[in-house]
Amino acid sequence: MAEEEFTDINGNSISLDCQTHSAFCREFTVTSPKLSLRKVMVYTCFVWLFAYAVFFFTENTAVLSSAIILTLVGMMIHIHFVKVDHETLLIIGSLGVQLSSSYASGRESTIFIEMSKLKDIVINEAVYMHSIIYYLCILIKDPADPETVASVVPLFNVRSSCCCSIAKAK
Amino acid sequence: MVLKIFFPQCCNTADSGLLVGHWIPGHNSAVVLAVIHYPFIPGQVKKYLSELQSQTQVDLTVLGSWSMPKEGKEGMDSFLKDLSTIFPQKCWLQLSREIGKRGFICQVVQNNGKLLQDREQKNGDESSEGDKIILIHYDQRKVMLSQLHPVQDVSQKSDIEPSELRLVFQTVAQSQPLFFLDKYDDGPLKLTHWQSEGREASIIAELLKQASVPVCIFLTWLLSLWHWFCMVLKMLFISSKLSTCVQSGYRAVHFKTVFSPKKAATHMEFMRKANIFVSFLLDIALGLLLISWLYRENRISKLADTLVPVADRVAKELQELLEWLMGAPAGLKMNRALDQVLGRFFLYHIHLWSSYIHLMSPFIERILWYVGLSACLGLTFALSVLSDIVALLTFHIYCFYVYGARLYCLKIYGLSSLWRLFRGKKWNVLRQRVDSCSYDLDQLFIGTLLFTILLFLLPTTALYYLVFTLLRLVVVLFQGVIHLSVDFINSFHLFAIGLRICRPYRLAEGVKFKVLCQEPGTPLHLMMEINPLKCSSVLQCYRTPTYSCYPKDSWAALCKKLFVGELIYPWKQKTDKTD
């Protein structure tokens, strides 16, 4: 159960948890920081003050109610589709690899890749704006021809040391 | 190598007995399908399994033994060990539970006597060469009913090797006859499987199934009569133009698929039938809703009363338009003589048309009342009838468009040919290219004269053509919108979406695994759940292939046709393609 300090590409601190269920079964969990209350308050106050200013000039109450609805809907969409709470990588020897993302609203989206479809797990690097980032990806075989076809990006960007410890569990 | 055992959840609390299942070829795994309880006669077990094998085409064998400790039933262990000699196997599984523990204990005996056992790891060393066992729990009923996507036919010979999970799903789905007998039945064998948790059956469903066969045969006979009647109608040219006839033709094809007495063999056929049936019911429901709205407060008579004034209004507007064209439209100077001729020609047509409408006006209300009743055949019918009514009412616009287009087309061809003469060239029909040619003086003279005349008359004709083409395009657009909505109702697969929402396990994209709590001394236990298909994939996968109105020509070709003056038929009906 290694607990080290990692950061993602935006500088927010994340934590990695590694659980070994058996000799051939391991689970890695990357937890992102939670939604910060201060940010939520700042955005809401900004939107409502703006709406109030518009109401002051137009005297139309529809502006206020639409601002409220917009804030609520935007927040619901953000926590349901955008804000990832934690991601899990479950590796089961000779069965396959399972990637699961859990969002802030509790929704979970899971993909399971069977061992027969898996070609390799590699660390790839990409140029992102002004820096180079490393990410772990899974190569999947093409069903008709055993060459690389699809590339899957499982986790957020972590430091290379983290990638190595995950790659060792293959 | 890791040995994987798929164990049904319903057998977790079953009494001791024999494990019956299937070894997956090529992968080191076994699927347990049922447990046969004591007492049994080994000869009867073998006979029953071979009967089922011929029925299901699944290689069912006795996999091993299952022991559930109960008070007063000790001494089973030695009995269990002796069983492996009665049912000779490559590998004999011995699963057992202990009181107070949640995990199972698993021992595997290979036929050379070697005993494999899952041991607790000592010192945390990774022994990669040791033999390991994974126990995967699955919900038998859900896996039996579920269909993995992308759908691959069992009977289809494909180059793609089916993956392990697909084989597991296929095995459970094909072993349905195994689940007919239960431990509560009076038979020679007592089995435990998913039906033991509680038989699911419904009298109404069974009665409907029995009644559906004669009903289907009767409806197929009716459809053959209708088909013969349509053949007669097809002789009429007009039937291919009226969208009502086209729509009824497609509905007949759909019914043939749905009401065929043959049971659906594959999953895709079943989904197709179900989708067509449900969309037909939805259509009828919407149609009845429309009827109830139209006939309440006699709205249909009010509609009929407004129809003739609307037609008159359209005629009047067209007349005013023509008067405007005959004057100086938008400040352009027209050739007076040609202008007057064309204008009077079209005005006479409008006069004829409005007199026909006035002739029909006393009957319109009755006709519309009966035509409105046809909406009980479905909303798509009502929309097709509306489209046909619009086409009939704007028939004069269509005629004007054809006249204008033909005139303009002739003019353009004449101009291009005379332009070639003007430059001393000729179109070689044999070689399909432009060649130079020497003309006589009188040919040149007449040719140049005609060219000049046509050139100066071009703006007038072009203007008439432009105006009537625009009107025609407006009507075509309106008809196109109606056809698009008809097509949408036809092809909307409500059944697939309903299935995805209410029974998500039936349409599976994959599986998900969850690690169950670990106890020392037991192998790894995983829980396999079905991952339902994403809604977007449902929409993509199950669209009913139907005729869709799409533009016959691309935009560039359309513009070229408009410029040259060829008649355009922008909406082409694609024939029904099966995928």
Side-chain angles (χ1 to χ4, degrees):
Chain A
M1 322 267 176
E3 287 259 12
E4 296 169 39
E5 279 299 314
F6 297 109
T7 58
D8 72 0
I9 44 168
N10 294 327
N12 306 320
S13 77
I14 53 176
S15 66
L16 170 73
D17 184 32
C18 166
Q19 217 182 347
T20 310
H21 295 289
S22 146
F24 47 89
C25 175
R26 280 218 200 154
E27 191 168 355
F28 297 94
T29 312
V30 174
T31 319
S32 304
K34 307 269 187 249
L35 201 60
S36 101
L37 193 63
R38 195 162 54 134
K39 263 196 187 169
V40 169
M41 299 283 290
V42 163
Y43 280 135
T44 317
C45 288
F46 180 71
V47 170
W48 286 358
L49 278 174
F50 180 71
Y52 194 71
V54 174
F55 169 70
F56 186 69
F57 288 111
T58 60
E59 303 286 333
N60 190 1
T61 51
V63 171
L64 291 176
S65 30
S66 64
I68 293 174
I69 292 173
L70 202 75
T71 324
L72 281 174
V73 167
M75 193 137 46
M76 286 204 288
I77 290 178
H78 184 76
I79 60 172
H80 196 71
F81 291 110
V82 175
K83 181 85 189 100
V84 173
D85 191 43
H86 61 263
E87 290 176 317
T88 319
L89 177 71
L90 175 69
I91 304 178
I92 309 168
S94 89
L95 199 60
V97 171
Q98 175 171 292
L99 310 159
S100 156
S101 316
S102 165
Y103 293 87
S105 64
R107 177 173 83 105
E108 278 207 24
S109 100
T110 322
I111 316 172
F112 178 73
I113 304 165
E114 286 182 77
M115 205 49 119
S116 55
K117 292 211 184 91
L118 207 62
K119 195 161 172 356
D120 207 351
I121 300 184
V122 298
I123 298 177
N124 207 356
E125 49 183 39
V127 179
Y128 179 69
M129 296 223 240
H130 53 84
S131 55
I132 298 178
I133 53 169
Y134 302 98
Y135 62 96
L136 207 58
C137 65
I138 298 177
L139 302 178
I140 297 181
K141 282 188 210 168
D142 186 13
D145 165 45
E147 289 296 313
T148 323
V149 168
S151 207
V152 176
V153 182
L155 294 176
F156 268 127
N157 310 291
V158 294
R159 291 235 182 100
S160 317
S161 56
C162 204
C163 294
C164 290
S165 64
I166 296 174
K168 255 198 268 175
K170 191 169 60 117
Chain B
M1 268 299 274
V2 182
L3 175 66
K4 291 160 269 194
I5 304 173
F6 290 85
F7 196 78
Q9 272 184 303
C10 45
C11 296
N12 277 352
T13 49
D15 290 334
S16 313
L18 281 178
L19 294 169
V20 166
H22 173 65
W23 282 99
I24 310 261
H27 304 93
N28 199 13
S29 42
V31 180
V32 175
L33 293 167
V35 176
I36 299 183
H37 299 296
Y38 310 117
F40 58 82
I41 304 172
Q44 275 188 330
V45 171
K46 288 188 191 167
K47 196 172 86 156
Y48 181 62
L49 285 180
S50 58
E51 261 173 30
L52 278 174
Q53 226 170 310
S54 54
Q55 251 185 317
T56 61
Q57 270 95 44
V58 173
D59 191 13
L60 292 170
T61 50
V62 176
L63 296 173
S65 67
W66 164 252
S67 124
M68 176 78 156
K70 278 221 159 76
E71 318 214 323
K73 280 209 172 153
E74 272 87 27
M76 282 292 213
D77 288 346
S78 53
F79 178 52
L80 292 169
K81 285 207 181 67
D82 297 335
L83 279 174
S84 59
T85 51
I86 306 176
F87 299 101
Q89 289 296 326
K90 206 172 52 180
C91 249
W92 181 259
L93 306 170
Q94 287 175 340
L95 296 172
S96 57
R97 287 192 78 163
E98 278 178 22
I99 305 172
K101 273 196 174 180
R102 284 179 59 187
F104 300 170
I105 300 177
C106 192
Q107 291 179 331
V108 181
V109 181
Q110 286 186 328
N111 65 352
N112 53 9
K114 200 163 78 149
L115 182 77
L116 309 161
Q117 196 165 7
D118 187 86
R119 285 182 197 282
E120 189 189 334
Q121 287 306 309
K122 294 195 167 63
N123 308 328
D125 277 348
E126 297 176 26
S127 74
S128 51
E129 297 309 319
D131 290 273
K132 310 287 190 303
I133 304 171
I134 307 182
L135 224 72
I136 302 171
H137 295 262
Y138 69 97
D139 188 332
Q140 202 167 45
R141 180 173 161 265
K142 288 192 177 164
V143 170
M144 187 180 79
L145 291 172
S146 147
Q147 170 70 38
L148 267 182
H149 292 78
V151 180
Q152 273 176 16
D153 254 335
V154 173
S155 50
Q156 212 178 23
K157 296 255 184 293
S158 58
D159 297 328
I160 306 169
E161 271 284 317
S163 65
E164 191 179 353
L165 283 172
R166 201 172 274 276
L167 287 170
V168 168
F169 274 67
Q170 271 172 12
T171 311
V172 180
Q174 282 175 323
S175 319
Q176 288 220 16
L178 177 64
F179 305 131
F180 289 160
L181 272 188
D182 198 355
K183 71 178 179 194
Y184 301 113
D185 286 323
D186 281 332
L189 294 173
K190 306 223 179 290
L191 291 144
T192 299
H193 40 70
W194 66 272
Q195 296 269 32
S196 318
E197 283 177 357
R199 273 290 168 95
E200 288 191 11
S202 150
I203 298 266
I204 299 177
E206 293 298 314
L207 280 175
L208 277 175
K209 275 193 201 156
Q210 295 296 322
S212 67
V213 176
V215 167
C216 279
I217 297 178
F218 174 64
L219 283 167
T220 322
W221 175 77
L222 268 182
L223 267 175
S224 57
L225 280 181
W226 174 252
H227 195 63
W228 173 84
F229 178 64
C230 276
M231 281 287 159
V232 171
L233 263 188
K234 261 202 189 107
M235 308 291 194
L236 301 169
F237 160 76
I238 204 161
S239 67
S240 68
K241 294 289 177 205
L242 284 177
S243 56
T244 319
C245 299
V246 173
Q247 171 66 12
S248 63
Y250 281 107
R251 272 286 178 233
V253 168
H254 286 165
F255 288 161
K256 223 160 86 160
T257 328
V258 173
F259 292 131
S260 75
K262 233 171 29 132
K263 202 165 126 86
T266 61
H267 172 80
M268 290 306 280
E269 267 181 41
F270 165 70
M271 290 299 283
R272 183 111 172 259
K273 270 188 162 186
N275 273 329
I276 293 175
F277 188 63
V278 171
S279 90
F280 173 62
L281 287 179
L282 177 75
D283 201 14
I284 302 263
L286 287 173
L288 289 173
L289 213 71
L290 182 70
I291 283 185
S292 77
W293 178 81
L294 271 180
Y295 286 85
R296 206 188 317 166
E297 297 165 22
N298 217 7
R299 280 207 188 92
I300 191 121
S301 311
K302 288 194 203 137
L303 254 164
D305 287 337
T306 57
L307 209 62
V308 174
V310 162
D312 271 344
R313 176 84 191 282
V314 169
K316 203 162 80 80
E317 293 284 330
L318 269 176
Q319 255 178 323
E320 278 176 20
L321 184 71
L322 281 167
E323 308 267 335
W324 180 67
L325 280 175
M326 273 160 69
L332 295 167
K333 192 147 187 274
M334 304 267 99
N335 180 292
R336 257 194 87 65
L338 184 63
D339 217 359
Q340 295 287 325
V341 161
L342 284 176
R344 289 222 188 96
F345 180 62
F346 290 138
L347 276 172
Y348 181 62
H349 267 85
I350 294 177
H351 170 75
L352 272 178
W353 182 253
S354 44
S355 40
Y356 283 144
I357 294 276
H358 280 285
L359 212 71
M360 289 266 291
S361 61
F363 308 113
I364 290 242
E365 194 190 320
R366 274 290 107 189
I367 294 175
L368 211 65
W369 203 90
Y370 288 118
V371 159
L373 277 180
S374 78
C376 70
L377 291 169
L379 187 66
T380 48
F381 251 85
L383 285 173
S384 316
V385 165
L386 177 69
S387 162
D388 286 334
I389 289 176
V390 165
L392 283 174
L393 281 181
T394 56
F395 189 62
H396 46 345
I397 294 181
Y398 177 63
C399 285
F400 292 168
Y401 164 70
V402 171
Y403 297 150
R406 283 270 180 254
L407 212 60
Y408 179 75
C409 182
L410 265 170
K411 187 157 275 190
I412 290 286
Y413 274 119
L415 268 175
S416 56
S417 149
L418 288 171
W419 170 246
R420 274 183 234 123
L421 179 138
F422 199 66
R423 284 160 53 221
K425 299 214 187 280
K426 196 176 86 155
W427 174 254
N428 192 337
V429 183
L430 275 173
R431 295 279 183 97
Q432 295 286 315
R433 63 166 192 211
V434 178
D435 279 339
S436 64
C437 169
S438 60
Y439 290 100
D440 295 336
L441 197 63
D442 44 356
Q443 279 177 328
L444 274 176
F445 181 61
I446 296 186
T448 315
L449 257 179
L450 283 173
F451 176 74
T452 325
I453 294 173
L454 283 177
L455 186 67
F456 288 135
L457 289 179
L458 184 66
T460 317
T461 328
L463 194 70
Y464 273 89
Y465 173 66
L466 184 75
V467 167
F468 292 129
T469 310
L470 282 173
L471 281 173
R472 172 86 187 128
L473 283 178
V474 165
V475 171
V476 158
L477 232 100
F478 181 66
Q479 277 191 307
V481 165
I482 294 182
H483 285 159
L484 272 174
S485 45
V486 164
D487 188 45
F488 177 69
I489 298 178
N490 269 344
S491 69
F492 188 58
H493 37 285
L494 194 62
F495 181 72
I497 292 187
L499 203 65
R500 167 66 183 85
I501 294 174
C502 303
R503 302 256 187 275
Y505 56 82
R506 290 203 55 175
L507 303 170
E509 195 178 16
V511 294
K512 348 188 227 225
F513 287 96
K514 199 167 73 159
V515 179
L516 298 174
C517 68
Q518 273 285 90
E519 278 167 8
T522 59
L524 181 66
H525 286 266
L526 296 171
M527 175 73 204
M528 182 171 93
E529 282 160 356
I530 296 184
N531 205 7
L533 203 58
K534 282 198 272 276
C535 286
S536 49
S537 315
V538 171
L539 288 173
Q540 223 176 358
C541 198
Y542 288 109
R543 258 192 95 80
T544 316
T546 174
Y547 75 102
S548 57
C549 297
Y550 67 98
K552 195 160 84 164
D553 312 302
S554 63
W555 287 111
L558 191 71
C559 286
K560 183 173 172 281
K561 276 196 174 170
L562 281 174
F563 185 69
V564 170
E566 270 179 48
L567 287 174
I568 49 171
Y569 305 101
W571 304 104
K572 180 175 118 157
Q573 312 283 0
K574 188 166 73 161
T575 51
D576 196 8
K577 284 195 192 126
T578 50
D579 48 10

